[in-house]
Amino acid sequence: MMAPMWLRGMYGNGTGGPKVSTRCNASLFFRLCKALRITAPSRVHNRAQFLAHNERIIIFRVETMLLKPSDSRDHDIAALETLAVRPEVTPAIRKKIDAERRKVLSGIKGEKDAAYHLDFHFGSRKNSILIHDLRLEHDGRVAQIDHLLINRFLDIWVFESKRFSDGIGINEHGECSAFYRGRPYGIPSPFEQNQRHIDVLKSVFDDDVVRLPKRLGLTIRPKYLPRVLISVDARISRPAKKRPEVDTIVKADQVGSRVDRDIEMNSSILQAHTIAKVISAQTLQDLGASLIAAHRPATFDWAARFGLTTVEPPASAPIIEATGSTPAEEPSAAGQTCAACAVSVSTKVADYCAAYPKRFQGNVFCYGCQRNKAKRQAAMAIAAE
């Protein structure tokens, strides 16, 4: 088993055997220890003994490639839930907010299911790196890449995960439809969406925002393989006439065998060319680290999206409807007060808290205390005693 080139200078012949160099390069040595999150011995003559003692752990961890999990969307869910109970929100806007919240939750589930199968097959496989939820901004364009898999041949699988509960249909023109209660409705093409992501990724490489490895002074160019991942229980209605993009649809539980088939096909067709462009495991890790450094998490102004002010107006301020009339004050819930500040709360606020028992643990909080996590936690701790 051959260790990466950068490790061989301090790890003997790099084969995982007992032969260890006693003249360790200090910079590489401490770099290794930092990467492995283990404490390095301070005395130089102990380094070889340390490496020999940790032989199995080092080889295992070096071959376990970089893995970036998906970003949390909890803050977006909390923001939408908070917007829904604001007093100036009309029923029509509240319905849109709830629909957006369900959409976000559905997307999270779809990406989580796809990530599970990718992690299972590639999370600790040597010679590849797996990155979830990579968002790139470049030249006025944005790519929200759900999953990225790169191997040492610089084959790059760009995965777009979709959760169609009733499946997806593609006609002979490449137009896509989803289904609701058995009836189709048009949707944007996930194939075109994924291709746009690849275009942005290419420009990030071409403009040296993230530098590709070189050999003999020439840049090694990657091969891009777009794939659309859908949930395992979704149906796929394919057109009678074969279209190339339809072959890129993969059910999440089949992703491992599909990627293995892609690798086998590439190796058999372009074996000499493929071998010539292979990069080291460390170079692959460095490329993954550069991509993650270019990640720009998304931020949303949910209030502005629904035509609301960013700061909630005071509760005492009258809210003027489109008709110009001032609505009657909303009645308070009988006997209901905020568990943190003891102010009276409306029936609407009390009902909202009751609808989310896990978040509020059976307590009722006014709008201000719902947004103040410290006050909520203190009140819930007292209630639990």
Side-chain angles (χ1 to χ4, degrees):
M1 178 164 40
M2 185 66 67
M5 183 66 73
W6 67 275
L7 181 58
R8 296 180 204 169
M10 58 181 174
Y11 197 65
N13 57 14
T15 61
K19 184 179 178 181
V20 178
S21 171
T22 57
R23 292 182 295 176
C24 303
N25 181 296
S27 174
L28 289 177
F29 176 80
F30 287 110
R31 177 184 173 189
L32 171 66
C33 293
K34 183 178 180 181
L36 301 181
R37 299 185 295 278
I38 49 182
T39 304
S42 57
R43 301 177 66 179
V44 176
H45 70 271
N46 284 336
R47 292 180 192 160
Q49 296 176 2
F50 171 81
L51 289 171
H53 178 71
N54 291 278
E55 172 187 339
R56 293 181 181 277
I57 248 180
I58 288 169
I59 290 297
F60 173 76
R61 292 191 186 175
V62 167
E63 289 184 345
T64 300
M65 293 291 109
L66 184 64
L67 176 65
K68 175 193 174 296
S70 299
D71 294 342
S72 172
R73 299 293 304 274
D74 290 348
H75 57 289
D76 291 317
I77 298 300
L80 289 168
E81 290 175 352
T82 301
L83 279 179
V85 298
R86 283 174 50 164
E88 78 273 26
V89 173
T90 64
I93 294 178
R94 183 171 293 107
K95 185 177 180 179
K96 292 180 180 179
I97 294 173
D98 289 340
E100 184 67 34
R101 175 178 163 276
R102 290 193 300 271
K103 180 180 176 181
V104 172
L105 288 172
S106 178
I108 292 172
K109 178 170 175 51
E111 292 180 17
K112 186 177 179 180
D113 292 345
Y116 166 78
H117 291 285
L118 286 165
D119 289 348
F120 182 85
H121 291 287
F122 308 107
S124 36
R125 180 184 291 194
K126 60 183 180 180
N127 300 326
S128 63
I129 59 173
L130 180 60
I131 300 173
H132 297 302
D133 196 12
L134 179 67
R135 185 176 183 273
L136 302 173
E137 297 178 356
H138 181 61
D139 200 21
R141 299 188 297 175
V142 176
Q144 180 70 57
I145 300 173
D146 292 335
H147 316 280
L148 202 66
L149 177 68
I150 311 176
N151 65 12
R152 290 177 57 190
F153 300 107
L154 276 191
D155 296 326
I156 301 181
W157 285 265
V158 182
F159 294 104
E160 175 67 22
S161 58
K162 295 294 183 183
R163 185 170 181 265
F164 301 114
S165 57
D166 290 341
I168 180 174
I170 308 99
N171 65 19
E172 63 275 11
H173 303 294
E175 300 163 341
C176 299
S177 301
F179 298 89
Y180 179 71
R181 294 181 178 177
R183 303 187 65 176
Y185 62 93
I187 58 170
S189 170
F191 313 115
E192 295 297 329
Q193 181 184 9
N194 213 18
Q195 187 57 52
R196 290 193 293 270
H197 295 165
I198 291 176
D199 291 342
V200 175
L201 183 60
K202 283 181 179 178
S203 67
V204 166
F205 288 141
D206 291 343
D207 296 341
D208 283 340
V209 176
V210 173
R211 293 188 176 181
L212 290 167
K214 294 185 177 183
R215 176 164 292 125
L216 300 177
L218 300 176
T219 301
I220 304 174
R221 293 296 172 184
K223 178 179 180 179
Y224 301 93
L225 297 102
R227 298 290 180 263
V228 176
L229 294 180
I230 65 171
S231 53
V232 298
D233 55 350
R235 65 175 176 175
I236 304 174
S237 299
R238 304 176 188 270
K241 184 179 179 181
K242 189 173 182 179
R243 296 187 59 89
E245 66 269 27
V246 177
D247 290 336
T248 67
I249 299 179
V250 185
K251 287 200 173 186
D253 59 345
Q254 299 176 335
V255 67
S257 59
R258 178 56 186 270
V259 170
D260 288 341
R261 191 165 72 248
D262 290 338
I263 295 173
E264 183 179 350
M265 184 178 298
N266 291 342
S267 300
S268 61
I269 295 175
L270 299 171
Q271 187 172 10
H273 174 73
T274 302
I275 293 175
K277 62 185 284 192
V278 67
I279 61 176
S280 70
Q282 183 57 40
T283 300
L284 179 61
Q285 283 189 323
D286 291 342
L287 176 62
S290 298
L291 283 168
I292 291 175
H295 174 61
R296 299 292 180 267
T299 56
F300 299 95
D301 187 345
W302 292 112
R305 175 171 294 193
F306 295 103
L308 304 171
T309 56
T310 302
V311 180
E312 184 190 9
S316 58
I319 303 168
I320 307 301
E321 299 279 2
T323 59
S325 60
T326 303
E329 183 179 354
E330 184 179 355
S332 298
Q336 292 281 18
T337 58
C338 175
C341 64
V343 302
S344 298
V345 298
S346 67
T347 303
K348 185 187 299 181
V349 171
D351 291 343
Y352 174 79
C353 293
Y356 297 97
K358 184 176 179 180
R359 181 181 177 190
F360 301 114
Q361 297 183 11
N363 297 289
V364 174
F365 295 99
C366 66
Y367 172 75
C369 292
Q370 287 177 20
R371 303 183 67 186
N372 191 321
K373 186 175 181 179
K375 290 179 71 174
R376 289 204 322 268
Q377 289 179 339
M380 288 188 289
I382 294 172
E385 292 179 354

